[in-house]
Amino acid sequence: MKQGYLSQYFEGVAVKQLSAVEADVVHSNQHEYHGDIGLKQLFGSVDGIEKKKFPAKFVYLTDSEEEPVTDEGPDCFLTWYDARARSSARTGRSEYRLYFPTTTVSQCAAEGDLLVLGRLGSGLVLVLIAERESSIASQLKWLFGVGNLSLPGFAVRGDLEEESDRIGFAERVVLEQIGIEVIEPKAEDYLTDMLTQFGRAFPQTRVFSAYARNTLKDIAPADDPDAALMAWMEREELLFRTLERELVRERLERGFAGDVDGFLQFSLSVQNRRKSRVGAALESHLASIFDSCLIQYSRTEPTENKSKPDFLFPGIKEYRQHDFAVDRLTMLGAKTTCKDRWRQVLSEAARIENKHLLTLEVAISQPQTDEMRAHKLQLVIPRSLHSTFTAEQQSWLMNVRDFVGMVRVRQP
């Protein structure tokens, strides 16, 4: 196990696309994933008619739902066995199978969906099924470093300690979507200072974001806005998780004295803070980049139908001047992850036909980006994340530097 790599959480993974008989639990009596020799890396050998049973958590993921469908508990398991064990002594042949029970997740599965089996260090097997051609399916293939799945059988990886398996900001986002809580290294050098400055409470996001930027003195956003944005997001996440861990620890030590509702409310507040903060942090860091680059803009000013675009260039004043040339107006939405929520941007700033959306989401599927292009939505992705997309997609993507250059030329 190597800290900061996928091996910290997974002993190995196996990935394939589901066949019709593996996915159709209604009409197929198999209830089995077809095993192959590669799966022995995950589940080991079986001796004769021996069967190995593994506790499992089943998860079904789509782009359209914020929360996945999950099944776990005593009735959720996988059974690894040799279907030809009784005749293997005579024939010399083995046929490994992986039995699974009927679950809500298995009933969601369809032919062509992506199947990921992840053996966790605890012994639990995480069974992930991602909708066919979805962005989350593309992201899982990117995360675990598996490319071409056109061949039958599983693509298996047992060593997850290569440089491509290092966990950064983008990897952490995908891992948390599948329920893996990433353990961040503590920024102990800053904890005392944060407690001194902010007390034992979280400051407003804009204040915390400014603090995070101030800890990176050598960043030059005007010279390299792409690198600056990712460095600031990484640093803020590290600092936030360090402070969060300290404040949550203190609250848990005080206890809840049997107050179940109080505990649930506290837990929910922790999750909600994480979700709301990261989006606000992205907007704050983008604003700092635009300020450093002397770009004119307005933030969250209302346009038509009470919509409030994240950024308008050169500003709301020009937008409301109907004699100001439309081709010099620009709208930018900002979302750390977009999933199907990118469509929300389409209804904002009606005067501007061609919209822009900046996101930190990696490996968005080709069908999704094709649909964005059809709706005249241009994606802006930090340069370091472009490699997670296909070559065709990369030729269309815009990076932060390109976007800054475009709006600079358009401003008065």
Side-chain angles (χ1 to χ4, degrees), residues 4 7 53 62 95 99 120 211 263 355 359 370 377 394 409:
S7 61
K53 194 172 181 178
T62 71
E95 187 174 310
Y99 171 86
L120 306 185
Y211 176 84
F263 172 77
K355 322 282 187 181
T359 183
D370 287 346
L377 178 69
Q394 289 181 47
V409 169

Side-chain angles (χ1 to χ4, degrees), residues 301-303 315-323 329 351:
E301 291 285 353
T303 56
I316 190 64
K317 176 184 174 182
E318 290 79 7
Y319 184 85
R320 290 172 178 165
Q321 292 175 348
H322 290 282
D323 58 346
L329 294 171
R351 285 192 68 195

